[in-house]
Amino acid sequence: MAVILPCGLFLYYASLLQDGVPRKFPVVLLDQDKSNTSRKLGRMLNATSSLDIVAEVENEKDGEKMIRTDKAFALLIIPRNFEDDIYRNIDTQVVCYYNNNYLLAGGLINKAFQSTVGSFAAQAHINGLTQKGLTQKQAIAAASPIITKQHILFNPYTNYSYYLTIALMPMSLQIIMMVVSIYVLGSVLKDRKGRELFVRSKGNVWVSFWAKILPYTILFSIIGFFMNSLLYYKLGVPLRGNFIIVNIYFIVFVIVCQLFGLFYVSFNKDLRSALTLGGSYSAIAFSFTGYTFPKEGLPNIIQYLSYTFPFTSYLRFIIDYAIRGIAIGSLNFGYIIAFMVFCLLGILSMPKYNRLLKQGGYYV
């Protein structure tokens, strides 16, 4: 569980998102015009990286049926008299019905559809203006009088591999680190071997704790180095910070998780309860980080509650320092303060853990 599972998850996430963004979603086309112009638009839509016209249907009901049965994500409708309306400068509408239950697929399909139809409409407008006597340059200026430029700051490639893997990989490893730490520290109490460890460490709880947990600290630090190397050098996630500092911060994160695992072991009545609560707590951390939904849009109480998870402090540091390239001196040190609080909870749990060791294990 400590080696094969995290490495397997890393490779799975890397292969799942290797293309960076999903491509060629199956869609169906209803061409009611059957003209050269409508067929040209259909070819343009099919040529985009997001759309793959897998079938042409005869009516809307057939297209709706394919969407409802998940054979297609969208239905594209080109209306009758499409070509004639364009030549006569009459407004006409091309419609895209898409299944927005799949948010990512729906968003990409809509974006590709709007972009392609917009380009097609602009070209038709330019052709009409040139036929009225304007030069090509004048027609382009008249059709697009305002040119916009977009600058995407932190994910300029709109690459979902970059966006998701920097969260999914450490998130899965965090759950494993917490569960393994709780098991390693709690199994001694469950098996009633605490007294033996207490005697061998001469009653020093620090010796007891590190004797059990240090091999896993080293192991998870090595796995974390492998994870970061995979992220920044194999997958090509932009790294604007120092790779060594990123790994040092991960080692701190490992120790924080282990100390917090000690808290769960010490203040539960048995190992099963500690594993259940600790694993559940780790699993819901992703929902509270505000990663897939802007933190500023969350209720204030949820924003503050998010800091009760070590993963929040880890991920926000990585985003600010490693991805955005914010200098360490300019970072929000709330991350470090939160880590210190988690460590303090673990340290304050040590006397309780030592008493459990002294008595041999959990109360019967």
Side-chain angles (χ1 to χ4, degrees):
M1 183 174 181
V3 180
I4 297 174
L5 184 58
C7 293
L9 286 171
F10 296 162
L11 297 176
Y12 169 72
Y13 289 136
S15 63
L16 180 68
L17 300 166
Q18 62 182 345
D19 292 332
V21 63
R23 301 183 186 278
K24 288 298 180 182
F25 294 101
V27 301
V28 291
L29 175 67
L30 173 57
D31 185 355
Q32 297 175 328
D33 193 48
K34 305 293 184 181
S35 64
N36 290 332
T37 304
S38 66
R39 283 191 285 270
K40 179 181 177 182
L41 176 58
R43 288 193 297 270
M44 288 179 63
L45 289 166
N46 194 47
T48 65
S49 61
S50 297
L51 304 179
D52 181 21
I53 299 177
V54 294
E56 289 198 30
V57 293
E58 296 300 323
N59 53 64
E60 291 187 29
K61 284 189 176 180
D62 290 343
E64 180 183 346
K65 182 179 179 181
M66 291 191 71
I67 293 177
R68 291 185 180 278
T69 55
D70 285 339
K71 294 179 180 177
F73 286 93
L75 168 63
L76 313 176
I77 302 177
I78 301 176
R80 290 183 177 86
N81 303 317
F82 178 71
E83 186 177 68
D84 292 341
D85 288 343
I86 289 177
Y87 287 147
R88 290 184 292 178
N89 290 322
I90 298 174
D91 287 342
T92 184
Q93 290 185 338
V94 180
V95 181
C96 174
Y97 293 106
Y98 59 92
N99 185 355
N100 209 35
N101 285 329
Y102 303 103
L103 292 175
L104 177 59
L108 291 174
I109 288 171
N110 186 48
K111 180 180 178 181
F113 173 78
Q114 296 284 354
S115 176
T116 303
V117 173
S119 299
F120 184 87
Q123 186 60 49
H125 189 197
I126 290 169
N127 291 338
L129 292 174
T130 55
Q131 290 173 5
K132 292 180 179 180
L134 272 67
T135 66
Q136 185 79 6
K137 198 171 184 179
Q138 290 172 331
I140 293 174
S144 304
I146 299 175
I147 298 175
T148 61
K149 289 185 178 181
Q150 295 184 359
H151 299 275
I152 302 174
L153 294 179
F154 306 124
N155 190 5
Y157 311 102
T158 58
N159 188 309
Y160 287 92
S161 176
Y162 297 170
Y163 177 70
L164 292 173
T165 51
I166 61 172
L168 291 175
M169 287 187 184
M171 175 65 196
S172 59
L173 184 55
Q174 177 234 194
I175 298 173
I176 293 169
M177 289 191 301
M178 183 72 78
V179 171
V180 168
S181 299
I182 291 172
Y183 181 80
V184 168
L185 295 168
S187 59
V188 180
L189 304 176
K190 174 182 176 294
D191 296 334
R192 306 293 299 178
K193 295 181 179 179
R195 182 69 185 176
E196 178 184 347
L197 179 59
F198 179 83
V199 171
R200 295 184 67 180
S201 61
K202 298 180 180 179
N204 189 326
V205 68
W206 284 95
V207 173
S208 302
F209 173 76
W210 287 113
K212 295 297 294 182
I213 212 69
L214 185 59
Y216 294 93
T217 307
I218 297 170
L219 175 63
F220 286 130
S221 298
I222 294 171
I223 294 174
F225 180 83
F226 167 71
M227 176 189 74
N228 288 327
S229 300
L230 182 64
L231 283 171
Y232 299 114
Y233 294 111
K234 177 63 176 177
L235 298 181
V237 175
L239 176 63
R240 294 184 173 86
N242 186 288
F243 185 69
I244 295 175
I245 293 178
V246 170
N247 282 284
I248 291 174
Y249 194 76
F250 183 81
I251 294 172
V252 174
F253 179 52
V254 173
I255 296 171
V256 168
C257 289
Q258 292 177 330
L259 283 169
F260 206 48
L262 177 65
F263 170 79
Y264 277 100
V265 170
S266 301
F267 289 95
N268 275 285
K269 62 180 181 179
D270 52 45
L271 179 59
R272 181 179 61 183
S273 300
L275 285 170
T276 301
L277 292 175
S280 302
Y281 166 85
S282 302
I284 64 174
F286 189 78
S287 301
F288 283 86
T289 58
Y291 189 69
T292 55
F293 188 87
K295 183 186 70 171
E296 293 75 13
L298 297 172
N300 289 333
I301 187 170
I302 300 299
Q303 292 188 39
Y304 292 119
L305 189 61
S306 69
Y307 281 98
T308 62
F309 297 88
F311 183 68
T312 300
S313 298
Y314 171 79
L315 188 59
R316 289 183 180 170
F317 174 87
I318 292 300
I319 292 172
D320 285 347
Y321 175 74
I323 307 302
R324 294 176 176 169
I326 299 176
I328 288 183
S330 303
L331 290 174
N332 179 357
F333 281 91
Y335 314 142
I336 306 300
I337 294 172
F339 268 6
M340 291 172 63
V341 171
F342 290 119
C343 289
L344 183 61
L345 286 173
I347 292 170
L348 292 176
S349 304
M350 285 191 170
K352 170 73 172 177
Y353 184 67
N354 206 33
R355 288 196 296 272
L356 290 172
L357 291 177
K358 187 176 182 179
Q359 72 182 16
Y362 287 115
Y363 295 101
V364 178

